[in-house]
Amino acid sequence: MKVCMMTSVYALGEDDRNGSFLVECNRYMTERGYRVEVFAPSYEGRENHSVQGVPVYRFRYFFKRFENLTHFQGAPNRIRNPLYLFVAGFYILSGLVQAIGFCRRGNYDVIHVHWPFPHGIWGYFAAMAHRTPIVLTFHGAELLLSKKFPFVAYFIRHAVRHAQALICNSNYTAGQLAALTGVPVASIHVIPFGATVEIKPVEKNRAKPVKDVLYVGRLIERKGVGYLLNAWTDIVKHTQARLHIVGDGDKAAEWKALAQTLGIEASVSFHGVVTNEELEQLYREADVFVLPSIVDSRGDTEGLGIVLVEALAYLTPVVACDVGGISDVIRDGETGLLVPQRDAKALTDAVLKVLENPELAERLVNAGAAHARTYFDWRRIIDALSNVYGSVTREKS
């Protein structure tokens, strides 16, 4: 079966972590015998290439200097600048025209669209032009936009009516989509994405004198790293520890300045974007992984929080805020600890509780790893995707 994946974000190279869960998904799909090709926007002039043997077609949509609407900060953050609203128009129109031609040349059995607004526009017309089944996967960001812009809500309802299958990355996202469109939750496939690494045996030295606490993700408002930094001022008063922050985004400079203002810069390392090998080493050394996500000023939050699965894969206990789809991954007191959002004191207490209680840490990671092996196992996930693809192609025939 030949599948066209349409997405706004996909790895720019072998070591790039943008859309890493899509890369991993396609690797497993290829091993199952699927022929997957990716249709994605260029980034600052990036030409066609391949990642792990999967062809990636990069369509151009603007001048190279401003061709950065996607990746890293993400379009919802970029369009706060009015210039990028103008760029977004070219993005949608260029993507539409080139998607139709791309699908005509590819003769695909299924078109699978991620983030259906605005990419469902491309998928809809390409599918109509070539009578190809279309599958839509919602990750949450497009549902946020629908709350702010009525035309987005209208389009999503239209796209849902014409799709052969709907997928959401979490029960939280599925509930939002059902509320917006009136589609029964039972008819929505909830298929998460697994860890980008295999679960590996890791020997953690929980008795080491200086503890390592890790955050991995974009440095944008909804990640809530500012609350973790405020919590860190109290954490380091009670234990010797170092905070490792991995990632980049439009809040990077602000949060680095906050660390200096709080007087904690000596125990906080901003690593920026790292290689897969460097990230693996950070996971292996981490004593606690923290995801302090919030519902941001635009109403955006975590659709799932896939980095939590990666942390569990490295047997790292997790502390996270109870927002969005995080509770699909972390069951409080069982596979990790959940705390209220925007509560630095609660973050402090939870992190110290794990650091100071090795037995609790072991119990959490053992249960968390078992959860990851089942619910987030790539074999189960690819089985579910295969069932969806099989059902829509049978309907076509």
Side-chain angles (χ1 to χ4, degrees):
M1 183 182 293
K2 194 174 182 182
V3 179
C4 172
M5 173 183 285
M6 292 187 179
T7 175
S8 60
V9 178
Y10 202 79
L12 298 168
E14 299 293 341
D15 287 331
D16 183 23
R17 293 188 58 77
N18 280 286
S20 59
F21 58 93
L22 296 177
V23 173
E24 197 78 352
C25 179
N26 286 343
R27 179 168 72 84
Y28 283 97
M29 292 290 288
T30 300
E31 290 177 359
R32 288 285 186 94
Y34 288 89
R35 294 174 59 195
V36 183
E37 296 181 355
V38 177
F39 180 83
S42 179
Y43 182 81
E44 297 182 349
R46 185 70 163 96
E47 297 180 351
N48 300 344
H49 61 107
S50 65
V51 178
Q52 296 187 7
V54 174
V56 182
Y57 176 83
R58 295 284 178 181
F59 73 87
R60 299 295 307 276
Y61 59 93
F62 210 70
F63 300 111
K64 180 177 179 179
R65 176 184 174 187
F66 298 102
E67 207 172 46
N68 52 13
L69 184 65
T70 62
H71 296 77
F72 302 109
Q73 291 189 31
N77 292 294
R78 288 285 191 190
I79 62 175
R80 294 178 181 181
N81 180 339
L83 170 64
Y84 281 99
L85 287 173
F86 181 69
V87 174
F90 282 89
Y91 174 86
I92 294 172
L93 291 175
S94 296
L96 172 60
V97 172
Q98 295 181 64
I100 293 173
F102 182 74
C103 290
R104 182 181 65 250
R105 295 188 298 272
N107 191 28
Y108 299 102
D109 297 298
V110 176
I111 297 174
H112 189 165
V113 178
H114 290 265
W115 293 281
F117 184 85
H119 314 103
I121 297 173
W122 312 338
Y124 171 73
F125 283 101
M128 291 291 290
H130 310 300
R131 300 179 62 82
T132 307
I134 184 171
V135 176
L136 304 179
T137 289
F138 291 83
H139 297 273
E142 57 282 283
L143 300 176
L144 165 68
L145 287 174
S146 73
K147 296 177 182 179
K148 296 182 63 176
F149 303 107
F151 75 92
V152 175
Y154 171 82
F155 172 80
I156 289 176
R157 294 187 187 102
H158 179 273
V160 163
R161 286 198 300 270
H162 290 86
Q164 279 65 57
L166 304 174
I167 299 173
C168 286
N169 63 346
S170 70
N171 287 294
Y172 172 79
T173 305
Q176 286 194 315
L177 180 61
L180 174 65
T181 64
V183 172
V185 172
S187 69
I188 301 172
H189 304 273
V190 177
I191 305 177
F193 284 92
T196 58
V197 293
E198 300 287 345
I199 296 177
K200 302 175 182 179
V202 179
E203 293 294 330
K204 298 280 189 178
N205 179 11
R206 304 205 187 278
K208 65 186 183 184
V210 180
K211 308 296 186 181
D212 291 288
V213 177
L214 178 63
Y215 163 85
V216 178
R218 287 187 293 170
L219 302 187
I220 57 177
E221 183 189 358
R222 70 177 172 86
K223 296 298 185 178
V225 173
Y227 294 95
L228 175 56
L229 292 172
N230 278 286
W232 197 250
T233 61
D234 287 327
I235 291 171
V236 293
K237 293 176 182 177
H238 292 85
T239 188
Q240 287 185 289
R242 183 156 199 87
L243 174 61
H244 301 271
I245 297 175
V246 176
D248 201 1
D250 63 353
K251 288 286 187 179
E254 177 183 328
W255 285 335
K256 288 177 182 178
L258 176 60
Q260 291 184 327
T261 300
L262 295 172
I264 56 174
E265 68 275 13
S267 62
V268 178
S269 296
F270 286 87
H271 294 268
V273 178
V274 301
T275 66
N276 289 338
E277 291 76 16
E278 291 169 329
L279 182 62
E280 179 174 343
Q281 188 60 33
L282 286 165
Y283 272 125
R284 287 183 176 277
E285 295 174 353
D287 297 287
V288 178
F289 183 92
V290 183
L291 187 61
S293 298
I294 63 171
V295 178
D296 70 14
S297 58
R298 298 177 295 115
D300 194 12
T301 191
E302 295 288 345
L304 180 62
I306 199 65
V307 291
L308 300 175
V309 185
E310 294 184 354
L312 293 174
Y314 279 99
L315 303 181
T316 305
V318 169
V319 172
C321 291
D322 191 5
V323 295
I326 287 177
S327 59
D328 277 13
V329 187
I330 302 302
R331 299 167 178 168
D332 187 34
E334 181 182 344
T335 64
L337 299 183
L338 293 177
V339 301
Q341 64 163 322
R342 301 176 184 271
D343 191 335
K345 178 64 165 56
L347 278 171
T348 298
D349 293 344
V351 170
L352 288 174
K353 184 176 182 179
V354 175
L355 290 178
E356 296 172 354
N357 191 336
E359 293 79 14
L360 172 64
E362 286 296 324
R363 179 169 61 80
L364 293 176
V365 297
N366 288 336
H371 183 44
R373 288 190 188 100
T374 53
Y375 190 67
F376 297 98
D377 179 71
W378 275 115
R379 290 168 296 183
R380 188 191 73 83
I381 290 165
I382 300 305
D383 284 345
L385 281 174
S386 295
N387 290 336
V388 172
Y389 291 163
S391 68
V392 300
T393 52
R394 283 194 297 272
E395 289 176 9
K396 178 184 177 182
S397 60

